[in-house]
Amino acid sequence: MMNRLRLRSRASLLVASVSLFTIAAATPAVAQDENPAGTETETAAAQDTSGQAEQEILVTAQFREQRLQDTPLAITAIPAELLEARSQESLVEVANQAPNVTLRQQGASFGPSIGASIRGIGQFDFSPAYEPGVGLYIDDVYYSALTGANFELLDLERIEILRGPQGTLQGRNSVGGAIRLITRRPDADGGGYVEATYGSRNHIGFRGSASFTITDGLYARISGTARQQEGFVDRIDYGCENPGSGVPAQRPAGDCRVSRHGGVGYTAVRGQLRYNPSPDFDLLIAADYTRDHRTIAPEVLVAAQDPGNTLNIGPAFGPQFICGRYCNYSAFQQPAIVWAGPAAPGVPLIATSASDESTFEGWGISANLDVGLADWVQLQSITAYREWNNEFAADDDLSPSNIGLGQNQLDYWFWSQELRFNMELADRLDITIGGYYNDQRTEYFTLQDIRYAAIPLQFTYFPGRDPVNADSWAAFGTAIWNPIDPLTVTAGIRYTEEHKDYTFYRANPDGSFNPFLGSLTGVVGSFDGDRVDYRLSVDYRFSPEVLVYATTATGFKGGGVGPRPFNPAQARGFGPEVLTSYELGIKTDLFDRRVRFNVAAFYSEYDGIQLALLSCPQFGGPGPCALPQNAGDAHIQGLEAEIFARPVDGLQIDGSLSWIDFEYQCVNIAVVRPLNPGETDECSSDPSILGGLGERPPALPEWKWSIGIQYEIPLGGGTLTPRLDMSYNGATAGGVTSGGFSLPSWTVANARLTWRDEDDDWQVALEVTNLFEEYYYLTSFDLRGAGAGFVKAQPGRPREWAVTVTRRF
């Protein structure tokens, strides 16, 4: 407790110190501000008088073009040039430099999906039964699934990460925050680039884009990328590697590697057609296609113990199958047997096998229409349709033992429509009103051959008949009022209605009735809910250098039905989670705008937290569990700081720091243990109940920081720019309940050396990622509490190098 109080005191002292420093540094008077918040901004170049125009960032987080420093939101804005300088190629890599943001490529059991969390709020399960919690947008088009969401950073203008509840200005309600990817639009300037990459483990990549004019006012742009690379975790044939072990070899002696997990096989193309005959009419039609075919996510076994099942088939599971830092012994096959357990002895189980490759294939089309209906009103329409198919499998125990093997296939489509009216009702009053609707359907096929359980569980079989339907509609509005030059008040409101239904189908693999869960076949679980959310923000510009803002906002994530009941008692629903957030922030431009420093402190009340229990004997006895429940309520507080500095011409420094404190206020008793006779389920603050859950949710580090430094060296006929980036991620919990496997902290450094010719037509870059060969884990999956006896983890990528040659035209 004393340590926690000290941390809070230090955080409060830091906020106060920063406030005094930034206000003191703001030497010009307020009356001298010729560009107050809430008014139209000049171009970055026109405002800049110190030769630092390239550091200015314009954002559209409030759907008006504003300077980053004029926007009263906690935003991390990353221009394309900085993404390139950091050698970042995919979305999850961006989180390393974003305060209190966690993006993770998930492990093999979750397929090619990501986990996303902002300020401790998000989602890490790909199942369509859940809502993401963090909104992902590409050119204002909402992407509703975590599957396939680790986008390649292709032909972007910038990325905006908005922290805190969003929704009164756009699309889908996002309780944790939103991530907006803004692509480069075709225009009359034309141009483009092509580049080629070669690097470690036969890393071969090509990407490029080109923009051209078809006729006056009609433009097109096409961009594409293709990358291939061998994996870095070896899948080894255990019998071949260990002759005499009693495990039959599947490969000849001396050639024991079956494949390499963690490979890359990504291809994507996007085309855009833009009709812009006048400033009052802009129509952008975009279409994209993605194919991601690779070996599954790289995982290693970190703990193993015999689960004590009674099958007596194949090698006993144990620590002998812990292969090493970058290898595993997964077999991806289980033989046909006759069940010998105490429940239903004699039940035959068929042989199962699967591939260790994952395939994602998807496409989408969208239309963004922007029309000036009058001098004071603008209409924006965003229409989109997306469809994808995903197939993957996982040998969860990473060994030749018969513990568990899962096969999965998802077929998905999504349609959305959004309308917004942006109005200038007076010189000092802007209003946005809008509406949003989406319709979504997913069909989920899976065959889970789980043999560590006390009953024969090779039954979770959905032959294309497990539909999940979801739809949502909302109306929202925001008013931005500038009563006097230095003061702006922003108020927003949103009404949302959501529906989701999940139809269960449970049968044996041959389609016959399953005696354990057959009663679930045809059962429909559903969730219907509505909610009013709001945002109120006040910002005050003390001087051209200092903006201070205070915000309160609410958000929610809809409830649903647990998609994976392993017994009838686990066929349970869960309710929505709700967040109320309070934030204080300072944005500064100091020392003739050579230093940009932003800091935000927040406090949130988080109720009805949705957590997936991997052990739940209180719901149906021992055995597998993957049950989402409303675990309880918590308070979250944190601090975030970002800096961008150019102390001298050519030298650039950027960094971030975040701290977050998560504390359960109460925990629902039935989530951590069975109810005692006469006891009712309630949210209890009893220490013995609070201790049943981990101190904080998974993937939530208490501390994060990053630092990057580069210096552009003139060479006479070009420039040479060395750059070094370092990022730190604190230790995180690996599971929901206490006592689970935790992921240690890690620090990773990347280096890059870039040469550009005098006209910036040619560029050659040498990059080395994970420069100091840090060994660390990104994710883990601990099923010891469920009786499986193992913990597996996904290591981060080892040191890699690559050379990239770029030609711009």
Side-chain angles (χ1 to χ4, degrees):
M1 178 63 72
M2 290 301 297
N3 288 337
R4 183 166 289 163
L5 290 174
R6 291 191 190 101
L7 287 174
R8 292 178 181 173
S9 299
R10 291 172 186 171
S12 301
L13 180 61
L14 180 56
V15 173
S17 301
V18 169
S19 302
L20 291 174
F21 169 72
T22 52
I23 291 173
T27 51
V30 172
Q32 295 173 316
D33 186 0
E34 298 178 358
N35 184 29
T39 63
E40 183 177 355
T41 63
E42 304 173 23
T43 66
Q47 293 175 327
D48 194 285
T49 59
S50 62
Q52 304 300 309
E54 63 269 24
Q55 77 174 17
E56 190 58 85
I57 299 177
L58 300 179
V59 299
T60 54
Q62 296 191 119
F63 299 100
R64 293 158 177 80
E65 189 172 271
Q66 296 174 286
R67 294 174 59 242
L68 174 66
Q69 300 304 87
D70 289 334
T71 308
L73 294 169
I75 305 177
T76 297
I78 313 154
E81 295 76 15
L82 189 53
L83 293 171
E84 179 184 73
R86 291 172 174 167
S87 302
Q88 293 174 332
E89 296 182 319
S90 63
L91 179 61
V92 296
E93 296 170 345
V94 175
N96 289 340
Q97 284 82 20
N100 282 323
V101 176
T102 298
L103 299 175
R104 292 282 186 271
Q105 178 69 53
Q106 291 294 79
S109 300
F110 296 85
S113 66
I114 68 168
S117 172
I118 296 179
R119 292 180 174 175
I121 300 161
Q123 183 58 44
F124 290 86
D125 194 322
F126 71 92
S127 172
Y130 300 92
E131 294 299 319
V134 172
L136 301 176
Y137 294 86
I138 301 178
D139 291 335
D140 294 340
V141 174
Y142 178 69
Y143 193 95
S144 71
L146 296 176
T147 297
N150 190 16
F151 311 120
E152 289 276 310
L153 305 181
L154 174 63
D155 204 22
L156 294 181
E157 181 179 297
R158 67 184 182 278
I159 295 177
E160 299 175 7
I161 302 178
L162 287 61
R163 301 185 292 278
Q166 306 297 320
T168 62
L169 268 167
Q170 66 178 348
R172 190 70 179 266
N173 181 62
S174 302
V175 62
I179 301 175
R180 304 178 65 233
L181 283 71
I182 294 92
T183 67
R184 297 186 185 276
R185 290 192 167 201
D187 55 31
D189 293 338
Y193 73 96
V194 291
E195 70 176 32
T197 298
Y198 181 78
S200 301
R201 300 190 313 281
N202 293 320
H203 178 188
I204 300 174
F206 299 96
R207 66 170 58 200
S209 71
S211 185
F212 50 91
T213 300
I214 299 175
T215 188
D216 188 30
L218 183 63
Y219 316 104
R221 189 176 186 93
I222 188 167
S223 53
T225 181
R227 284 203 301 137
Q228 289 189 342
Q229 187 180 23
E230 294 178 5
F232 60 93
V233 168
D234 292 336
R235 174 188 167 193
I236 304 295
D237 181 340
Y238 184 83
C240 172
E241 184 83 0
N242 299 275
S245 63
V247 178
Q250 304 298 318
R251 297 186 64 84
D255 184 21
C256 299
R257 187 171 68 192
V258 181
S259 60
R260 307 188 80 176
H261 292 171
V264 176
Y266 191 93
T267 304
V269 62
R270 180 173 65 240
Q272 296 174 299
L273 185 65
R274 182 184 182 191
Y275 183 51
N276 182 215
S278 72
D280 294 326
F281 189 94
D282 194 345
L283 173 63
L284 179 70
I285 298 175
D288 65 88
Y289 169 80
T290 300
R291 177 177 170 80
D292 188 354
H293 179 80
R294 63 180 73 193
T295 53
I296 60 172
E299 293 180 315
V300 298
L301 200 61
V302 296
Q305 61 192 45
D306 190 343
N309 63 46
T310 56
L311 291 180
N312 298 319
I313 290 290
F317 187 61
Q320 71 272 21
F321 295 124
I322 298 177
C323 180
R325 288 158 52 96
Y326 292 112
C327 64
N328 66 55
Y329 293 123
S330 53
F332 282 86
Q333 58 183 356
Q334 301 195 143
I337 62 169
V338 175
W339 181 260
V347 173
L349 299 183
I350 65 170
T352 55
S353 62
S355 167
D356 66 350
E357 296 183 345
S358 166
T359 301
F360 173 91
E361 190 168 14
W363 64 274
I365 188 168
S366 63
N368 291 46
L369 176 64
D370 193 335
V371 180
L373 301 179
D375 291 343
W376 57 275
V377 60
Q378 176 191 48
L379 166 66
Q380 291 178 290
S381 171
I382 305 159
T383 308
Y385 177 83
R386 178 158 295 278
E387 185 176 306
W388 52 253
N389 172 271
N390 178 217
E391 298 181 20
F392 65 94
D395 185 355
D396 280 335
D397 54 277
L398 303 179
S399 81
S401 295
N402 302 307
I403 304 295
L405 178 65
Q407 303 175 45
N408 303 270
Q409 178 178 326
L410 294 92
D411 296 304
Y412 163 100
W413 60 257
F414 177 87
W415 178 83
S416 65
Q417 173 63 53
E418 180 173 356
L419 289 174
R420 290 195 297 260
F421 292 90
N422 297 319
M423 296 172 283
E424 296 181 7
L425 297 185
D427 288 342
R428 296 181 178 271
L429 178 62
D430 293 345
I431 290 180
T432 294
I433 59 172
Y436 174 84
Y437 174 79
N438 76 258
D439 190 13
Q440 172 185 329
R441 181 182 176 94
T442 311
E443 288 192 345
Y444 185 18
F445 162 90
T446 182
L447 173 58
Q448 300 294 330
D449 188 356
I450 300 174
R451 301 189 180 185
Y452 61 83
I455 57 176
L457 282 172
Q458 189 197 60
F459 58 77
T460 316
Y461 186 57
F462 315 103
R465 294 172 58 188
D466 188 15
V468 186
N469 297 298
D471 59 73
S472 173
W473 73 269
F476 52 84
T478 288
I480 302 176
W481 181 39
N482 179 217
I484 57 176
D485 283 347
L487 177 68
T488 302
V489 179
T490 303
I493 193 168
R494 178 188 183 91
Y495 175 77
T496 305
E497 283 193 10
E498 291 188 350
H499 166 82
K500 181 168 287 184
D501 60 73
Y502 197 111
T503 303
F504 293 101
Y505 183 87
R506 297 293 184 270
N508 292 318
D510 61 2
S512 63
F513 180 80
N514 182 275
F516 299 96
L517 283 183
S519 60
L520 281 171
T521 297
V523 172
V524 179
S526 64
F527 168 80
D528 290 276
D530 64 337
R531 166 84 181 173
V532 175
D533 288 300
Y534 66 86
R535 175 180 173 234
L536 179 63
S537 178
V538 178
D539 64 87
Y540 190 88
R541 181 163 288 284
F542 284 92
S543 73
E545 287 77 19
V546 179
L547 175 76
V548 176
Y549 68 90
T551 298
T552 179
T554 66
F556 84 107
K557 185 169 67 173
V561 179
R564 305 181 186 96
F566 291 102
N567 59 56
Q570 292 180 12
R572 305 170 61 89
F574 57 95
E577 59 182 29
V578 178
L579 183 79
T580 303
S581 177
Y582 307 91
E583 180 178 326
L584 175 66
I586 305 170
K587 295 192 169 187
T588 68
D589 280 313
L590 306 174
F591 307 112
D592 200 18
R593 295 181 62 247
R594 285 187 175 271
V595 177
R596 182 172 68 233
F597 181 67
N598 298 338
V599 63
F602 65 91
Y603 172 82
S604 300
E605 298 174 355
Y606 191 21
D607 298 335
I609 303 168
Q610 298 170 5
L611 295 177
L613 306 178
L614 296 180
S615 175
C616 54
Q618 63 272 38
F619 300 124
C625 181
L627 180 62
Q629 289 290 278
N630 296 100
D633 304 336
H635 290 169
I636 309 173
Q637 56 188 341
L639 180 69
E640 301 160 347
E642 294 181 283
I643 188 169
F644 183 97
R646 289 183 181 270
V648 297
D649 290 349
L651 176 63
Q652 176 181 309
I653 302 170
D654 52 85
S656 66
L657 172 70
S658 64
W659 167 78
I660 192 167
D661 177 58
F662 184 102
E663 186 173 357
Y664 283 108
Q665 300 301 298
C666 65
V667 170
N668 293 332
I669 298 174
V671 169
V672 298
R673 65 162 172 81
L675 297 176
N676 296 322
E679 188 177 38
T680 58
D681 189 16
E682 60 181 18
C683 199
S684 172
S685 298
D686 187 299
S688 65
I689 302 300
L690 293 175
L693 294 182
E695 185 176 351
R696 59 181 54 229
L700 181 60
E702 183 178 14
W703 290 95
K704 277 186 65 181
W705 58 259
S706 71
I707 184 71
I709 184 168
Q710 68 180 53
Y711 185 69
E712 187 176 80
I713 305 169
L715 296 179
T719 62
L720 188 66
T721 305
R723 180 178 176 92
L724 177 68
D725 286 283
M726 295 188 69
S727 58
Y728 169 83
N729 199 88
T732 60
V736 170
T737 55
S738 59
F741 180 80
S742 62
L743 282 65
S745 62
W746 48 264
T747 304
V748 170
N750 299 332
R752 184 181 177 99
L753 183 64
T754 305
W755 172 83
R756 296 182 179 88
D757 73 347
E758 187 174 9
D759 298 322
D760 199 21
D761 293 333
W762 286 95
Q763 175 180 298
V764 180
L766 169 64
E767 65 185 61
V768 181
T769 55
N770 197 357
L771 180 65
F772 303 119
E773 196 71 33
E774 177 89 346
Y775 187 81
Y776 61 103
Y777 297 125
L778 292 171
T779 63
S780 66
F781 196 28
D782 187 346
L783 279 185
R784 291 174 296 183
F790 68 81
V791 182
K792 62 177 182 175
Q794 179 186 187
R797 305 186 77 84
R799 182 167 55 217
E800 300 177 351
W801 64 268
V803 175
T804 300
V805 179
T806 305
R807 174 69 166 94
R808 293 186 173 89
F809 54 88

